Amino acid sequence: MEKKTTSNETEPLTSKKDTSDCSKGEDCKENGLVVRNPKPALRLVEDGTKAHASRGDKGDAAQISNGYSGVQSSAPCDGEGEDAQGTAPAATTTTTTTSTTCGAEAQQQLMELEDRETWSKKIDFLLSVIGYAVDLGNVWRFPYICYQNGGGAFLIPYTIMALFGGIPLFYMELALGQYHRNGCISIWRKICPIFKGIGFAICIIDLYVASYYNTIMAWAFYYLISSFTAELPWTSCTNPWNTGNCTNYFSKDNVSWSLHSISPAEEFYTRQVLQVHRSNGLDDLGGISWQLTLCLLLIFTIVYFSIWKGVKTSGKVVWVTATFPYIILFILLVRGATLPGAWRGVLYYLKPDWQKLLATEVWVDAAAQIFFSLGPGFGVLLAYSSYNKFHNNCYQDALVTSTVNCLTSFVSGFVIFTVLGYMAEMRNEDVSEVAKDTGPSLLFITYAEAIANMPASTFFAIIFFLMLLTLGLDSTFAGLEGVITGVLDEFPHVWGKRRELFVLGLTILCFLGSLATLTFGGAYVVKLFEEYATGPAVLTVVFLEAVAVSWFYGITQFCNDVKEMLGSAPGWYWRVCWVAISPLFLLFVTCSFLSSPPELRLFDYDYPYWTTVVGYCIGTSSIIFIPIYMIYRLVITPGTLKEVSLMLSCFCFTVRKEVIPKNVMTGCSVPEFSQISPVLTEAADNSYKMLHQVIFKV
């Protein structure tokens, strides 16, 4: 927990007063500091109500266990410390000091962690993570990328990228959150303080996502409301919004499809729902659509009352929102398989084009797809796993949820392409001509049009758009929970008892931030944010996170943490992935994106060049918090640049607990160099040049 007064992160421990002058149960004060007699670290058992000596406490200070992370930096303040056997500590034991609030704040931290909310059932956690990972992108992005990049051949790079990049990062975040039991901001105090800006960057990215992602759900909600009619409104060309180019080739009359022909489904989407014809582009967005505004307001109302009480309430809501899409996917899959021409779509979806594997773009798309599908880097996995019990098998959870996510993407392809094959059969065209739409247009134009021409079209339209709505709600719950947990854990004394009020303010902020996407040109804003606000920023965040954990916190220390939770340490495969393969995987995708930024086009609108600059500015506005916080910590931390940099990062790298006596180091906060073991000074000198070359380039 963040200190209310002085912080262990920046204030050195200076007092050397002998603890023999202390009376039992009292704090020894000198110059405003409290001397604490060292005592073997205690670990709280899983239920958080009892304390027992850590394993290996016999005589020596044992490795600090972090079953409940507040214990890591807060040893008891007894005047006469005793070891686990009740004997007096050795005369050579080094004494340490802490701030005047050590006793009270240690107890407060323990009480807060004992009271920390946990999942009611294990299945609540699993459904929440699955609901977060399986979102709208699984339905529209994976099928399109798959057939665009070689069909069945694409599954090879997709699987390779999942095994060596996506799943290891997914597992790493679950383990970090469960062990340290903190959100995306405060967790860095225990990993590597100088990288704490990553947590703030994550929160900004989540807010950007909430500003446009929920607008897509508002479109789905508008479709859902419009589906409660005997005849779906996007089936005919006789509506007020239709133009002379509207051509209904599904009608019984013989119609000819010309170059300028537009389907009624496309005109309903562009002219009735989005109303993009009333905007001239990003430089003239037009007014706000009141219909979409009401839809979005209702969505945020549902979101607020689903997450305002914490995971105990949202964990119950996901029983519906996470399972309902699978029921609908199964119904749509069966219905699609029985349509004439469905086999044509499946063949187009899976027919391998082995030559595509030689193209770099295919591997980049595979890496990006698995990364954004599993979703590390948004703070959600850290937040959700922080509410687990300490000895929960997060390794098994990572494998189960990531496998379910990947299989859902694969099955969704059959749901989409059986219908596209049906449309190609009805149009007497090739599937490639039908499957031109990408992104949301694949759902709101192509699939909606196919549903409209099925028997019982109203029923299938209702369940389909209800499925899209539930898919999106899960991800919104998760994204906002990542921000909520991060802020509440960082500022517990401000928001700890005011969660409902903070969640209300957050939802209002997200709603106001979405107003630009509710304009007549809002679809152009959504496209811009989708491509630039999240993509490169999240990739950069997770790259730095992987490097900080594997190279600064230390892969050995991280594996020891996992062993403490699960009873066995991760094998060489996971270690190699975390240390080298996963960071290279992220660096590869990031560099590929930056080297060839996407040329944006939506409908008939080509984005001007200046939008690329604006897009990069939006993406940079989040990750800029990382270097800003590094500079801030260097400025406020007392000591020379050499001492400060090592104090903030070296202790999470080469000079860890194995070097310093356990009772000297508390977390990543250390005393001044001149007042600790000579071993530390020697190690600091040896690692100084290397650390500065890696971090500060000086």
Side-chain angles (χ1 to χ4, degrees):
M1 297 292 177
E2 187 75 50
K3 302 296 184 185
K4 295 182 182 179
T5 53
T6 56
S7 173
N8 282 353
E9 295 180 47
T10 59
E11 183 166 343
L13 308 176
T14 56
S15 177
K16 290 185 177 182
K17 183 172 179 174
D18 193 336
T19 57
S20 61
D21 297 335
C22 302
S23 59
K24 186 173 182 179
E26 296 179 352
D27 297 329
C28 296
K29 299 183 179 179
E30 179 179 348
N31 298 328
L33 297 177
V34 178
V35 180
R36 296 167 56 193
N37 201 11
K39 186 175 180 178
L42 298 182
R43 179 176 66 84
L44 295 182
V45 295
E46 186 174 321
D47 62 5
T49 57
K50 298 179 181 180
H52 298 284
S54 300
R55 294 183 293 273
D57 280 357
K58 311 297 183 181
D60 252 334
Q63 175 182 349
I64 297 178
S65 174
N66 201 28
Y68 284 83
S69 54
V71 183
Q72 181 172 350
S73 58
S74 300
C77 288
D78 295 340
E80 297 178 10
E82 295 180 352
D83 61 12
Q85 303 298 323
T87 60
T92 58
T93 304
T94 306
T95 60
T96 64
T97 61
T98 188
S99 62
T100 56
T101 57
C102 76
E105 290 193 357
Q107 295 301 322
Q108 179 182 356
Q109 289 175 358
L110 295 181
M111 291 176 62
E112 289 174 349
L113 288 166
E114 289 172 10
D115 295 337
R116 186 175 181 85
E117 189 176 19
T118 57
W119 298 97
S120 299
K121 298 179 181 178
K122 172 68 173 288
I123 191 64
D124 293 353
F125 166 71
L126 292 177
L127 288 177
S128 296
V129 174
I130 291 174
Y132 159 66
V134 178
D135 65 349
L136 296 173
N138 292 74
V139 179
W140 83 57
R141 186 180 293 116
F142 178 84
Y144 169 74
I145 290 180
C146 186
Y147 82 74
Q148 186 186 46
N149 291 285
F154 177 76
L155 298 178
I156 295 177
Y158 180 78
T159 303
I160 292 175
M161 291 299 180
L163 292 176
F164 293 100
I167 296 178
L169 293 170
F170 191 86
Y171 177 26
M172 182 186 74
E173 284 209 352
L174 288 182
L176 283 173
Q178 181 171 307
Y179 183 82
H180 294 288
R181 298 179 64 84
N182 281 112
C184 61
I185 301 177
S186 54
I187 193 173
W188 290 100
R189 293 203 308 270
K190 301 162 187 175
I191 297 177
C192 197
I194 201 170
F195 284 98
K196 193 175 179 180
I198 290 177
F200 294 105
I202 288 174
C203 291
I204 299 299
I205 293 172
D206 286 342
L207 293 179
Y208 282 152
V209 173
S211 67
Y212 76 85
Y213 188 83
N214 293 286
T215 300
I216 300 177
M217 287 197 295
W219 301 345
F221 194 76
Y222 189 98
Y223 268 86
L224 177 63
I225 296 174
S226 302
S227 300
F228 287 93
T229 57
E231 181 182 359
L232 296 176
W234 57 88
T235 58
S236 66
C237 294
T238 59
N239 301 289
W241 57 82
N242 293 126
T243 66
N245 293 327
C246 183
T247 304
N248 187 5
Y249 50 83
F250 279 97
S251 65
K252 297 180 180 179
D253 302 328
N254 291 327
V255 296
S256 59
W257 187 265
S258 67
L259 182 63
H260 301 288
S261 296
I262 303 175
S263 68
E266 182 176 349
E267 288 203 341
F268 177 78
Y269 178 55
T270 59
R271 298 181 63 86
Q272 175 63 12
V273 179
L274 303 181
Q275 303 182 60
V276 292
H277 64 286
R278 302 175 65 179
S279 169
N280 295 324
L282 287 174
D283 51 352
D284 181 18
L285 295 176
I288 295 178
S289 171
W290 65 268
Q291 299 98 326
L292 293 179
T293 302
L294 291 178
C295 291
L296 186 62
L297 180 61
L298 184 57
I299 287 172
F300 272 116
T301 302
I302 296 172
V303 169
Y304 173 72
F305 286 106
S306 298
I307 65 175
W308 69 324
K309 291 293 186 181
V311 295
K312 288 191 180 297
T313 55
S314 63
K316 297 298 180 290
V317 176
V318 294
W319 279 80
V320 176
T321 57
T323 57
F324 182 77
Y326 287 96
I327 299 174
I328 304 306
L329 280 175
F330 177 76
I331 295 174
L332 294 175
L333 178 62
V334 173
R335 182 68 185 104
T338 60
L339 293 172
W343 64 272
R344 296 177 59 185
V346 174
L347 183 63
Y348 186 79
Y349 174 47
L350 295 180
K351 184 179 179 180
D353 183 358
W354 302 109
Q355 293 297 322
K356 290 278 190 178
L357 296 181
L358 301 178
T360 306
E361 296 79 9
V362 174
W363 294 84
V364 173
D365 286 345
Q369 173 59 31
I370 189 63
F371 174 81
F372 289 111
S373 179
L374 292 176
F378 291 92
V380 175
L381 301 177
L382 294 173
Y384 276 170
S385 60
S386 72
Y387 297 110
N388 278 333
K389 294 182 178 179
F390 182 66
H391 294 293
N392 173 66
N393 193 339
C394 57
Y395 169 70
Q396 185 182 71
D397 296 343
L399 296 182
V400 169
T401 53
S402 57
T403 301
V404 169
N405 174 72
C406 295
L407 290 177
T408 302
S409 298
F410 183 64
V411 172
S412 297
F414 289 96
V415 174
I416 297 296
F417 275 90
T418 52
V419 172
L420 293 181
Y422 163 68
M423 290 188 63
E425 183 81 9
M426 298 299 293
R427 288 189 187 183
N428 196 23
E429 294 179 335
D430 189 74
V431 178
S432 60
E433 295 297 319
V434 178
K436 287 183 176 180
D437 292 321
T438 63
S441 297
L442 183 64
L443 304 179
F444 295 116
I445 297 178
T446 309
Y447 204 90
E449 183 178 1
I451 288 178
N453 292 277
M454 292 181 186
S457 58
T458 298
F459 168 74
F460 286 107
I462 291 174
I463 63 172
F464 176 71
F465 291 111
L466 192 58
M467 178 194 72
L468 296 184
L469 199 60
T470 54
L471 282 173
L473 283 174
D474 284 334
S475 299
T476 299
F477 296 161
L480 293 182
E481 186 60 50
V483 178
I484 295 166
T485 301
V487 174
L488 265 60
D489 285 349
E490 178 67 9
F491 307 104
H493 50 288
V494 178
W495 297 110
K497 302 299 183 181
R498 303 180 181 91
R499 178 187 171 96
E500 295 87 350
L501 183 61
F502 177 77
V503 175
L504 177 62
L506 183 64
T507 52
I508 293 175
L509 177 64
C510 293
F511 176 77
L512 295 177
S514 303
L515 291 180
T517 64
L518 299 175
T519 58
F520 300 138
Y524 304 133
V525 180
V526 170
K527 181 73 172 178
L528 181 66
F529 270 77
E530 185 181 11
E531 294 292 341
Y532 286 101
T534 57
V538 173
L539 290 170
T540 303
V541 162
V542 183
F543 171 73
L544 293 175
E545 178 182 306
V547 170
V549 172
S550 300
W551 290 93
F552 292 92
Y553 184 67
I555 191 62
T556 301
Q557 179 62 36
F558 178 59
C559 290
N560 288 339
D561 295 345
V562 175
K563 182 178 180 180
E564 189 177 341
M565 291 188 295
L566 306 184
S568 60
W572 64 267
Y573 163 75
W574 299 105
R575 292 171 181 254
V576 171
C577 286
W578 288 327
V579 169
I581 299 180
S582 294
L584 290 176
F585 155 85
L586 292 166
L587 191 61
F588 169 66
V589 180
T590 305
C591 293
S592 299
F593 181 92
L594 296 177
S595 62
S596 56
E599 296 181 2
L600 300 185
R601 176 182 173 85
L602 185 62
F603 307 127
D604 295 327
Y605 177 68
D606 292 314
Y607 283 65
Y609 177 80
W610 60 265
T611 57
T612 303
V613 179
V614 173
Y616 278 125
C617 289
I618 295 173
T620 307
S621 65
S622 57
I623 60 177
I624 195 65
F625 280 88
I626 300 174
I628 287 177
Y629 187 81
M630 288 181 174
I631 296 173
Y632 164 75
R633 289 308 305 270
L634 290 173
V635 171
I636 68 169
T637 305
T640 65
L641 179 62
K642 175 180 177 179
E643 295 174 348
V644 169
S645 60
L646 287 170
M647 186 179 299
L648 297 178
S649 56
C650 179
F651 279 82
C652 299
F653 188 32
T654 55
V655 190
R656 288 202 55 81
K657 297 176 185 177
E658 294 79 3
V659 177
I660 312 167
K662 306 300 187 298
N663 56 338
V664 173
M665 196 183 89
T666 57
C668 284
S669 300
V670 296
E672 292 181 352
F673 280 35
S674 60
Q675 298 172 344
I676 58 178
S677 169
V679 178
L680 171 60
T681 304
E682 180 181 357
D685 290 336
N686 293 336
S687 61
Y688 168 76
K689 293 182 179 180
M690 177 176 62
L691 281 172
H692 275 250
Q693 289 175 355
V694 172
I695 307 177
F696 301 104
K697 305 295 184 183
V698 296

